[in-house]
Amino acid sequence: MPCEVTRTTLPGMTYLPPPAEELRLLDAELRQLDARRAQLLTRRAWLVAALQRTQQPLPVAWSPTAPPRPETAAPNVQNVLLVLGGVLLTLAAAVFTLVSWGHMGIAGRALVLGAVTLAALAGPVLLLKRGLRSTAESVAGLGLALTVLDAYALHEAALTGTDGTGYAAAASAVLAVIWSAYGLLPATAALRLPLPSALAAAQFPLLLWALAADAGAYMITAALLVTAGLDTVAALRVTAGAVRIAAVVGAYGMGGWGVLAGGWLSAAADGPGAAARAGGLLLLAAAIALGAAWRVPGTRHPLGLAIASGLLTVGAFGGVARSGLPSEWAVPAHLVCGIALLAAVWAGPLPDALRRGFAWASGVVQALALLWTLPVVTVVLLGPAGWVGRVWSGAPSDARAAVTLEAPWPADSAATPVVSVAVAAVLALALRTEPWRARARLGALGLLWATALMLPAVLGIPYIAGMSVLGVMTATALYMCRATVPAARLTALVLALVTSVSLALAALASQTATLVVLSLLVAVFAAASWQTGVAPVTAPAALVYAAALASATGAAADWPPAGTALLVLAVPVAAALLAARLGEHRATLPVEIVGAVTGLLAVGLAATDPPLLALVLALCGVIAAGTALRPGRRAVGYAATALFVLAAWVRLAAWDVGTPEAYTLPVTVPALLVGALRRRRDPRASSWTAYGPGLAATLLPSLVAAWADPHWTRPLLLGAAALLITLLGARHHLQAPLVLGGSVLALVTLHELAPYVVQVTGALPRWAPPALAGLLLLALGATYEQRIRDVRRVREVLGRMN
């Protein structure tokens, strides 16, 4: 034991046995566990056998069938039966009242209905004392229904001369009072049906009274809204759940109908007086919603009610203002009212839900106002596209005529710039919290841009002035791309592109305008490309406009499309030079893509003139070859080779050359040179990869032509070339030249000797070919093993060749 361990620490130490002792203890424990497991398995097997023996003679007694699970609980069955019984009794009473009423006298009628009604209304009192609440509710429902039948019977028996609608209004009011009193009695206060029923009956007196008095649409709407207001008060004051639900349903239902009616009256108002009356109704609805929003707890319902109140207020004042203004100023009038809602948000202490609700209502009004301006913006943006089918047909009279070629000008659009400017001002000034402030300013910038875009067409300024406005907007947007905030830079870039496209399309009306506008666009986008952040977009855009300018210049000079293709080729040249200068810049790839596309455009323009098409293809090949010299663009060399080959083929086709070797040798020679360079760089490269494509490009088409050629010149030259290729393959131990050259040489020889073979076989007897074949088979069989060794030796020799 170390000397540092004191005597006082020994009792608290844990005893750890030596490893040998611990191993012995573990083995003993494991043996005990194995023995216990064997005992349990034996007992389990015996129990399974005993259960099987017991189960066979009495299977039903051992596994009794479980009782079926009830599908409906007893209280639900009770409620269904009670409701069904009450409905049947109510139907029976209605049939009795409507059908059998006339067979009894006045006294009998009153006695029967009065006795049944009183019994039905008194029954729940006794049932409640006995604790039968559900039955009491059913009987109470029957009693309430009987009171309705009593009212009907009273009208049919004693008050037939009164107006039906007016009597219904009075009856519904009386029934509402009676049912309320019945539900508030101490003996029947536990019933949940009378008070909601009374509230439902109270929905009709004012409406029916207005209908009976022929009060007109305004009074009927007022009756609906007053009823909704009373329902709102009830919903706010009552604590019982069923009564509150009935009050809420009534408030939303009657209030919704009232709002729809008020809105229709406001829209149909033909003068300030009618608009003021309709606005008063909408203000009443707004006051009801505002009062409810102020008193309702929580945040979700007050927010929605505050939004509704704000929108109704805007509709009220906007409708009154609209009635005294021209039709094109109706939307701006509503917009002013919507913006004025923000004053309520800023002024005075208001609950947070109300402030947010008014703010949302103002935002909805502004959004709807912007939707009203959308047709004008669409026509201004997309209208100039109609000049694509009428290029240089003559400058229009003004800026509006320049955008209304295919679509009519929207009516009542004189105030659209006012709407966009007002909303932009609100976005720039009203939202002061981050991050909404930055987003709002970008939105304001977009709206001001839309305003400037619409103004020339709205005001109908001259065509040249409208084009100047678009040009200044494009240049300004490109200058704003200098912003350091990415979102602002992106917004300005998008606005510049959209405006430039609209400007370029509108300029197609006049030849001079087209050339001037495209030149300016090339200049401004090229100047903007010095900014690194926007160069990946502005540099390709400058090249696109440069290609359009080249095409327009050729058309203005009355050049054919093939001649214009040479001008368009200047754009791929500029793109290749610019990409080489940019290096690894993010704009390099977009510039190269635009250069390739404009090259295809040049090829398409020259397609009608084969000699010029060959020249264009060759020049494209030169551009591609120059691009392939740059690091990382080596693969473009294949495209350059393909372009050179296509140029040569087009040139030969233009010369009416039909010899296939004239088309194949320009492919074979560069391919063999490339293969030789590759073999020189990598001696392990296969001869099939290095020389196979080049040799096959000439040998195979020439072989097909030689088999169809009746003359001897092509077969002789092809055979000589195949022999030379075979000898070179054998000399340098190259598999591809040896196999291709030998195969072509054999097939050419067979083609040349075929007539003689046919002649010889025709001169021989008929038995001679089979005899010769049999001799050949005997000879082959005699030397089979030797021939196999020779074939293997030849295969090994070919295998050692590259």
Side-chain angles (χ1 to χ4, degrees):
M1 181 181 297
C3 60
E4 290 83 1
V5 179
T6 62
R7 187 179 304 272
T8 58
T9 60
L10 292 177
M13 295 178 61
T14 301
Y15 172 70
L16 296 177
E21 180 65 18
E22 186 176 0
L23 180 61
R24 185 184 64 79
L25 294 175
L26 291 177
D27 291 339
E29 291 289 340
L30 291 174
R31 285 194 296 272
Q32 293 179 3
L33 290 175
D34 292 338
R36 181 58 178 167
R37 185 173 184 275
Q39 293 176 0
L40 294 175
L41 290 175
T42 303
R43 180 62 179 173
R44 181 182 181 279
W46 183 88
L47 290 174
V48 171
L51 288 175
Q52 290 177 352
R53 289 192 301 271
T54 309
Q55 187 178 7
Q56 290 178 357
L58 298 172
V60 178
W62 185 81
S63 178
T65 304
R69 181 181 179 182
E71 297 181 356
T72 306
N76 294 336
V77 176
Q78 165 193 305
N79 294 334
V80 170
L81 294 177
L82 292 175
V83 172
L84 183 59
V87 170
L88 293 177
L89 288 175
T90 303
L91 292 176
V95 171
F96 171 76
T97 304
L98 298 176
V99 178
S100 302
W101 184 255
H103 300 290
M104 301 180 64
I106 296 177
R109 302 169 193 172
L111 181 62
V112 171
L113 271 181
V116 174
T117 303
L118 290 175
L121 294 176
V125 178
L126 300 176
L127 293 172
L128 288 174
K129 290 181 179 180
R130 295 178 176 271
L132 303 176
R133 181 171 179 175
S134 298
T135 308
E137 294 282 357
S138 299
V139 176
L142 175 61
L144 299 179
L146 288 175
T147 56
V148 178
L149 295 177
D150 288 338
Y152 172 77
L154 179 61
H155 179 268
E156 293 297 322
L159 301 174
T160 54
T162 60
D163 178 63
T165 307
Y167 177 79
S172 59
V174 172
L175 288 176
V177 174
I178 293 174
W179 292 351
S180 299
Y182 181 71
L184 295 175
L185 291 175
T188 57
L191 296 175
R192 291 179 294 182
L193 188 60
L195 291 180
S197 301
L199 192 57
Q203 306 300 311
F204 303 101
L206 292 178
L207 177 61
L208 294 176
W209 172 79
L211 292 174
D214 292 331
Y218 291 96
M219 291 302 297
I220 293 174
T221 304
L224 290 172
L225 293 176
V226 171
T227 304
L230 295 176
D231 290 333
T232 303
V233 174
L236 294 174
R237 299 293 298 272
V238 176
T239 58
V243 180
R244 175 175 289 180
I245 292 174
V248 170
V249 172
Y252 278 109
M254 303 300 283
W257 283 110
V259 168
L260 290 177
W264 177 78
L265 291 173
S266 178
D270 54 357
R277 289 194 296 271
L281 294 174
L282 292 178
L283 285 178
L284 175 60
I288 294 172
L290 180 61
W294 204 298
R295 297 292 302 275
V296 172
T299 57
R300 185 177 58 181
H301 294 292
L303 178 63
L305 291 171
I307 294 174
S309 177
L311 293 177
L312 290 172
T313 304
V314 171
F317 288 103
V320 174
R322 177 186 55 81
S323 63
L325 294 173
S327 58
E328 60 266 20
W329 291 97
V331 173
H334 286 81
L335 178 61
V336 170
C337 297
I339 295 174
L341 276 180
L342 296 177
V345 176
W346 296 329
L350 288 177
D352 185 63
L354 296 184
R355 296 178 59 190
R356 290 192 292 116
F358 288 156
W360 275 102
S362 177
V364 170
V365 173
Q366 295 176 57
L368 293 176
L370 290 179
L371 284 179
W372 177 70
T373 66
L374 191 59
V376 178
V377 178
T378 303
V379 170
V380 171
L381 282 178
L382 303 181
W387 290 107
V388 174
R390 307 179 187 181
V391 177
W392 297 351
S393 59
S397 58
D398 53 29
R400 181 177 298 183
V403 299
T404 54
L405 293 174
E406 305 293 340
W409 183 252
D412 298 334
S413 58
T416 50
V418 177
V419 171
S420 56
V421 169
V423 177
V426 172
L427 289 176
L429 301 176
L431 296 177
R432 303 173 181 176
T433 58
E434 296 293 344
W436 295 104
R437 183 178 182 181
R439 299 172 184 174
R441 288 184 175 180
L442 291 179
L445 175 63
L447 290 176
L448 292 177
W449 168 83
T451 303
L453 192 67
M454 292 186 293
L455 272 177
V458 172
L459 299 178
I461 64 176
Y463 171 70
I464 299 300
M467 299 285 291
S468 302
V469 171
L470 294 178
V472 171
M473 291 174 60
T474 303
T476 303
L478 289 175
Y479 180 78
M480 292 172 61
C481 292
R482 300 166 60 92
T484 57
V485 180
R489 183 167 59 245
L490 178 61
T491 303
L493 183 59
V494 171
L495 296 181
L497 289 175
V498 174
T499 310
S500 66
V501 171
S502 180
L503 174 61
L505 292 175
L508 294 177
S510 170
Q511 175 179 322
T512 304
T514 300
L515 296 176
V516 172
V517 166
L518 291 177
S519 300
L520 292 176
L521 290 178
V522 171
V524 295
F525 275 94
S529 300
W530 289 100
Q531 305 175 32
T532 306
V534 296
V537 177
T538 55
L543 293 175
V544 170
Y545 287 126
L549 177 61
S551 302
T553 303
D558 292 330
W559 288 3
T564 306
L566 296 176
L567 283 178
V568 176
L569 275 181
V571 178
V573 172
L577 296 176
L578 180 60
R581 182 178 180 83
L582 291 174
E584 299 297 329
H585 195 275
R586 291 188 298 117
T588 302
L589 183 60
V591 166
E592 290 177 339
I593 292 175
V594 172
V597 173
T598 52
L600 292 177
L601 174 62
V603 171
L605 291 174
T608 57
D609 190 345
L612 199 55
L613 176 61
L615 177 60
V616 170
L617 288 172
L619 293 176
C620 290
V622 172
I623 298 172
T627 303
L629 297 176
R630 291 169 41 212
R633 296 293 186 268
R634 304 300 184 191
V636 184
Y638 296 104
T641 303
L643 289 171
F644 285 131
V645 171
L646 287 175
W649 286 356
V650 172
R651 183 71 265 180
L652 291 173
W655 286 336
D656 295 328
V657 175
T659 304
E661 287 79 10
Y663 294 89
T664 57
L665 286 176
V667 178
T668 296
V669 174
L672 292 178
L673 292 177
V674 172
L677 292 175
R678 181 172 182 180
R679 286 272 301 173
R680 186 174 182 180
R681 189 182 304 113
D682 184 11
R684 294 178 298 177
S686 172
S687 61
W688 288 102
T689 304
Y691 304 117
L695 294 175
T698 294
L699 291 177
L700 297 182
S702 298
L703 178 63
V704 174
W707 273 61
D709 193 349
H711 303 287
W712 59 271
T713 307
R714 177 177 280 110
L716 177 61
L717 294 176
L718 180 60
L723 177 61
L724 178 61
I725 293 171
T726 304
L727 294 176
L728 290 174
R731 171 68 179 79
H732 297 284
H733 300 281
L734 298 176
Q735 191 179 86
L738 181 62
V739 173
L740 290 176
S743 300
V744 172
L745 179 61
L747 292 174
V748 170
T749 303
L750 177 63
H751 175 266
E752 293 301 313
L753 296 179
Y756 302 101
V757 174
V758 172
Q759 183 179 0
V760 171
T761 54
L764 292 175
R766 296 199 174 191
W767 54 266
L772 291 175
L775 292 175
L776 178 61
L777 291 176
L778 288 175
L780 290 176
T783 58
Y784 180 76
E785 184 176 1
Q786 182 63 35
R787 299 286 79 77
I788 291 296
R789 286 198 298 267
D790 294 342
V791 170
R792 289 177 178 174
R793 189 178 297 110
V794 171
R795 187 174 61 185
E796 291 175 357
V797 171
L798 292 176
R800 287 194 298 268
M801 296 180 181
N802 289 325

